[in-house]
Amino acid sequence: MEYYSNAISQLIQQLSRLPGIGQKSAQRLAFHIINMPQEQVEKLAASMTGARANVRYCKCCQTLTDQELCPICSNPRRDHSVIMVVENPRDMAAYEKTGKFEGVYHVLHGAISPMMGIGPDDIRLKELMQRLQSDVSEVIIATNSSLEGETTAMYISRLIKPTGIKVSRIASGVPVGGDLEYIDEVTLLRALEGRVDL
Ligand code: ZN
């Protein structure tokens, strides 16, 4: 890429390190940025460093937030006795968009994958088990229907069963291998309403 000036090459290289951004997209974005008003570029850069510096994990559900507790965990109108377990904050957002789930969440930040060497200790399971010490009536497992998601669901249900707390799994309206975040709201709701006891 020696035909670009060093500053542009640097920008393209940094952008291409982002997920889903190949060389072509990185070039397109770089030239877009260069043509943006200076003030807008500064806002973009500041919001990136600001988010990185201030975002942390919610003390309760482990989602990303800039407060000690996220808005959902600190909302007294939510039903704190029903916990939906999801793999990542994007899945949580997908369910929030349906506007129909009144419980709270637990974000695992991943799924168990023996193939990738990701074990139960590598996701936020310990934190979930700690939450079960308080008043919890149901845990709804809404991990993806991939092999990893199913493995994780099975593992969690085995952990929770002995506590006597009700464990359910969202219905299979969610296509196999499907990422929750790409599924439409109607399908998500149907999956939630049709959940089955484990
Ligand atoms: Zn939270």
Side-chain angles (χ1 to χ4, degrees), residues 1-15:
M1 227 183 291
E2 54 295 332
Y3 37 87
Y4 291 137
S5 82
N6 197 32
I8 299 174
S9 299
Q10 282 281 342
L11 181 57
I12 294 171
Q13 199 201 342
Q14 291 305 322
L15 288 169

Side-chain angles (χ1 to χ4, degrees), residues 14 79-80 82 104 157 170 177:
Q14 291 305 322
D79 182 355
H80 290 257
V82 177
V104 291
S157 87
I170 53 166

Side-chain angles (χ1 to χ4, degrees), residues 122-185:
D122 300 315
I123 58 175
R124 306 214 164 206
L125 254 185
K126 231 182 20 256
E127 290 84 352
L128 173 65
M129 296 313 286
Q130 271 159 15
R131 287 179 74 182
L132 301 186
Q133 317 269 331
S134 61
D135 201 10
V136 175
S137 61
E138 182 179 1
V139 174
I140 303 167
I141 306 177
T143 50
N144 291 333
S145 50
S146 58
L147 177 62
E148 292 79 15
E150 294 298 347
T151 307
T152 309
M154 198 84 84
Y155 188 89
I156 295 175
S157 87
R158 275 196 207 128
L159 273 185
I160 298 179
K161 273 271 178 68
T163 66
I165 295 169
K166 182 177 170 188
V167 193
S168 59
R169 174 89 174 105
I170 53 166
S172 50
V174 178
V176 172
D179 264 352
L180 284 187
E181 58 174 315
Y182 299 120
I183 294 162
D184 68 274
E185 289 160 28

